[in-house]
Amino acid sequence: MQTRKIGRTDLPVTEYSFGAAGLGGLYRECTREAAIETLDAAWGSGLRYFDVAPYYGLGLAERRVGDFLRDKPRGDYVLSTKVGRLLHPVPEGAVPDYSYVKALNFDVRYDYSYDAIMRSVEFSYARLGLNRIDILYVHDIGVYTHGVARNAVYLRQLLDSGLKALEELKAGGVIAAYGLGVNEVPVCLEVMRRADIDCILLAGRYTLLDRSAVAELLPLCETKKTSLIVGGVFNSGILATGPVDGAHFDYMRANAEVREKVGAMERIARERGVPLAAAAMQFPLDNPVVASVLLGTAKPESLRRNIDALRHRMSKDDFSAFEPYTLVAPELGLEAVRA
């Protein structure tokens, strides 16, 4: 599989990569056997960049990704995890519902400060059982997750000391790159105007459907040589399923307007003999700012089906036909959208 480099670094990542949220039991249980089988399918399909986070299954996904990668040649893959949430143990039965089924017995505490980031990295080493992490993302900083008031506190932690920790880790060769892992554009712009970062894992805001990143973020990334890694390429499912009853967009049931837009996109893809999912997976990579597209699943057959769909190739001219049916996320308010 072809690779692209992260930002100004020499770190290459495969154009398609694996997102491990599902391995932590997101929305449905994922057994250890299913997790390893899914990771094996990703490896067998040529994916060599793996992204995980302490939050996914409250440590469970990191353990599973580490177990899988431990016997792989270290130079053959790239690994990223995240900082911003510290895990602390809680009694059985007291685990909050974060939509992870059979998560480990922990809860989270947000902290984006220097000390917390350093501690988070050490804890991730222990859960992964690996001695190297290539990329660190600051996880879910921003109004989308925290609301305006709380985010002001967390953003100050990051800007005052957290970024210093990340820069020290990079300068010391502990990591090769760092950036943000978020669901919104505004915080990316705010941080990038104050600091140089290597990459952004942006979920759902630069897709075939949602073009929120186009107006300001993409030009800024191009100017500052910051790479995008695109997550949520199916916008919570609707670009994979089409506008079926119960289809989800941005973590919620899609409304009639979104379903209508996706219906039009599905017809355009069909006219070109291409599955809508294939168009969705290929679209972000048409822009050289994008280094990789994350594919997240806990089912090996889904992973293989998505990779197989990439046989249907699309051109830049093909993508222009979808433009009239795109959208931009509404402006954020004072409260969190998805805490």
Side-chain angles (χ1 to χ4, degrees), residues 116-167:
I117 286 174
M118 292 300 196
R119 289 178 65 199
S120 183
V121 173
E122 294 299 324
F123 293 157
S124 285
Y125 280 141
R127 285 187 293 266
L128 288 161
L130 301 173
N131 64 357
R132 172 84 181 164
I133 296 165
D134 298 293
I135 305 172
L136 285 175
Y137 294 112
V138 178
H139 202 188
D140 288 339
I141 191 81
V143 172
Y144 185 91
T145 299
H146 301 300
V148 169
R150 283 197 303 157
N151 189 61
V153 175
Y154 296 141
L155 188 60
R156 179 50 50 198
Q157 288 178 341
L158 178 66
L159 296 175
D160 283 353
S161 68
L163 288 175
K164 180 182 177 182
L166 293 166
E167 186 55 40

Side-chain angles (χ1 to χ4, degrees), residues 41-248:
W43 188 275
S45 298
L47 278 60
R48 293 293 185 272
Y49 169 30
F50 297 83
D51 175 71
V52 68
Y55 186 52
Y56 302 161
L58 303 178
L60 185 59
E62 280 191 321
R63 292 182 62 172
R64 288 170 167 174
V65 169
D67 286 348
F68 176 78
L69 292 176
R70 198 164 302 121
D71 295 329
K72 303 296 183 186
R74 187 58 189 90
D76 286 3
Y77 65 86
V78 170
L79 174 65
S80 61
T81 192
K82 303 183 181 73
V83 297
R85 289 179 174 95
L86 289 173
L87 304 187
H88 61 89
V90 295
E92 290 186 26
V95 180
D97 182 7
Y98 295 122
S99 299
Y100 289 97
V101 178
K102 294 193 175 179
L104 300 183
N105 294 316
F106 292 88
D107 196 358
V108 300
R109 177 171 61 84
Y110 290 101
D111 195 330
Y112 297 91
S113 68
Y114 179 101
D115 289 343
I117 286 174
M118 292 300 196
R119 289 178 65 199
S120 183
V121 173
E122 294 299 324
F123 293 157
S124 285
Y125 280 141
R127 285 187 293 266
L128 288 161
L130 301 173
N131 64 357
R132 172 84 181 164
I133 296 165
D134 298 293
I135 305 172
L136 285 175
Y137 294 112
V138 178
H139 202 188
D140 288 339
I141 191 81
V143 172
Y144 185 91
T145 299
H146 301 300
V148 169
R150 283 197 303 157
N151 189 61
V153 175
Y154 296 141
L155 188 60
R156 179 50 50 198
Q157 288 178 341
L158 178 66
L159 296 175
D160 283 353
S161 68
L163 288 175
K164 180 182 177 182
L166 293 166
E167 186 55 40
E168 283 186 10
L169 290 168
K170 182 182 175 183
V174 178
I175 59 174
Y178 67 86
L180 307 180
V182 295
N183 294 274
E184 63 169 88
V185 169
V187 75
C188 300
L189 300 173
E190 187 165 4
V191 172
M192 289 180 71
R193 286 166 182 153
R194 304 187 190 194
D196 292 326
I197 57 178
D198 301 301
C199 47
I200 298 169
L201 199 174
L202 184 65
R205 301 296 176 231
Y206 184 54
T207 71
L208 192 66
L209 175 62
D210 189 321
R211 306 295 177 88
S212 302
V214 169
E216 294 184 76
L217 183 58
L218 288 182
L220 187 57
C221 285
E222 184 174 4
T223 298
K224 302 196 78 170
K225 306 302 181 188
T226 298
S227 291
L228 278 188
I229 291 81
V230 173
V233 72
F234 298 131
N235 281 126
S236 296
I238 194 165
L239 289 179
T241 64
V244 299
D245 288 343
H248 279 67

